[in-house]
């Protein structure tokens, strides 16, 4: 009877150790080979692993290709002209290419459904702004404020083809007046990303 209980305890210990070893191997694989972004022990003594799988280390697989950009203006512009394209010269995010910080134009690298967002800060003035895809207006915003500082934003979801140009401009015939501001208190910005 004593030997039987001892064997049962040994089998139980071996199973427990095997289970722990398998858990450690899985966590090691996730962290080192699959490029896990986080790995932490939960309250029930298990492991919660968030995986950002990229195939080979640091090489994105075709399914995980990201196209996204976020840019903003580095300085104020006083009384921009009618139809002027806005140039967002500071690039904070640029994945997949496409945005040109010298021209303010995003040239679509891949056909798909995209989201574009623009935010314009105006100080004591009034202006309309257009989001353009090639030569077509896809979205328009308008801001009017007197003796104060305000922002307006617009969002467009559109099917864009490879090679199409996307940019933000001043309205084509409505002159407006005032200054566009962009600094640490509020950025005039332009961003976009591929949905699918």
């Amino acid at each position: 009877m004593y030997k039987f209980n001892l064997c049962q305890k040994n089998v139980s210990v071996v199973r427990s150790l095997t289970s722990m070893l398998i858990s450690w191997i899985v966590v090691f694989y996730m962290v080192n080979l699959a490029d896990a972004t986080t790995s932490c022990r939960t309250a029930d003594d298990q492991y919660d692993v968030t995986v950002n799988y990229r195939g080979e280390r640091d090489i994105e697989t075709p399914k995980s290709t990201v196209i996204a950009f976020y840019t903003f203006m580095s300085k104020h512009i006083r009384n921009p002209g009618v139809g002027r394209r806005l140039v967002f010269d500071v690039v904070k995010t640029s994945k997949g290419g496409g945005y040109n910080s010298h021209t303010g134009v995003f040239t679509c690298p891949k056909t798909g459904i995209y989201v574009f967002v623009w935010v314009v800060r105006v100080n004591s003035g009034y202006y309309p702004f257009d989001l353009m895809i090639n030569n077509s207006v896809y979205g328009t915003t308008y801001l009017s404020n007197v003796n104060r500082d305000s922002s307006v934003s617009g969002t467009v979801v559109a099917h864009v083809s490879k090679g199409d140009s996307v940019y933000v401009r001043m309205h084509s015939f409505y002159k407006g007046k005032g200054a566009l501001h962009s600094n640490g208190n509020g950025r005039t910005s332009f961003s976009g990303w591929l949905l699918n």
Side-chain angles (χ1 to χ4, degrees), residues 92-105:
K92 289 304 232 180
T93 302
S94 181
K95 295 289 184 184
Y99 183 76
N100 185 321
S101 62
H102 301 291
T103 64
V105 175

Side-chain angles (χ1 to χ4, degrees), residues 151-173:
S151 295
V152 64
S153 65
T155 304
V156 164
V157 179
H159 182 272
V160 185
S161 297
K162 182 176 181 178
D164 284 352
S165 298
V166 184
Y167 56 95
V168 178
R169 73 170 188 189
M170 306 304 294
H171 197 272
S172 62
F173 60 84

Side-chain angles (χ1 to χ4, degrees), residues 117-154:
V117 177
W118 67 103
V119 177
V120 184
R121 184 174 155 214
V122 176
N123 183 268
S124 192
Y126 50 90
Y127 286 108
F129 308 93
D130 296 327
L131 178 90
M132 305 294 293
I133 299 179
N134 296 325
N135 294 316
S136 298
V137 176
Y138 268 68
T140 300
T141 57
Y142 178 80
L143 178 61
S144 176
N145 57 25
V146 178
N147 298 322
R148 59 190 172 130
D149 194 274
S150 299
S151 295
V152 64
S153 65

Side-chain angles (χ1 to χ4, degrees), residues 60-68 95-97 109-110 194-196:
E60 291 188 345
T61 59
K63 288 184 179 178
S64 68
T65 299
V66 173
I67 298 174
K95 295 289 184 184
K110 179 181 176 182
L194 174 67
L195 279 180
N196 79 17

Side-chain angles (χ1 to χ4, degrees), residues 45-130:
D45 207 31
Q46 298 297 311
Y47 285 91
D48 182 17
V49 180
T50 303
V51 178
N52 180 17
Y53 186 74
R54 296 172 182 251
E56 291 182 42
R57 190 143 180 95
D58 296 330
I59 299 173
E60 291 188 345
T61 59
K63 288 184 179 178
S64 68
T65 299
V66 173
I67 298 174
F69 68 94
Y70 168 69
T71 63
F72 61 82
M73 289 183 179
S74 63
K75 55 191 174 222
H76 304 324
I77 300 173
R78 178 159 290 290
N79 296 318
V82 169
R84 175 179 175 172
R85 185 181 336 111
L86 300 182
V87 177
F88 304 84
D89 57 319
V90 178
V91 178
K92 289 304 232 180
T93 302
S94 181
K95 295 289 184 184
Y99 183 76
N100 185 321
S101 62
H102 301 291
T103 64
V105 175
F106 172 71
T107 303
C108 184
K110 179 181 176 182
T111 298
I113 302 294
Y114 285 79
V115 177
F116 298 102
V117 177
W118 67 103
V119 177
V120 184
R121 184 174 155 214
V122 176
N123 183 268
S124 192
Y126 50 90
Y127 286 108
F129 308 93
D130 296 327

Side-chain angles (χ1 to χ4, degrees), residues 26-39 49 51 57:
V26 167
V27 169
F28 175 82
Y29 171 78
M30 294 301 208
V31 172
N32 292 298
L33 302 177
D35 201 18
T37 55
T38 60
S39 173
V49 180
V51 178
R57 190 143 180 95

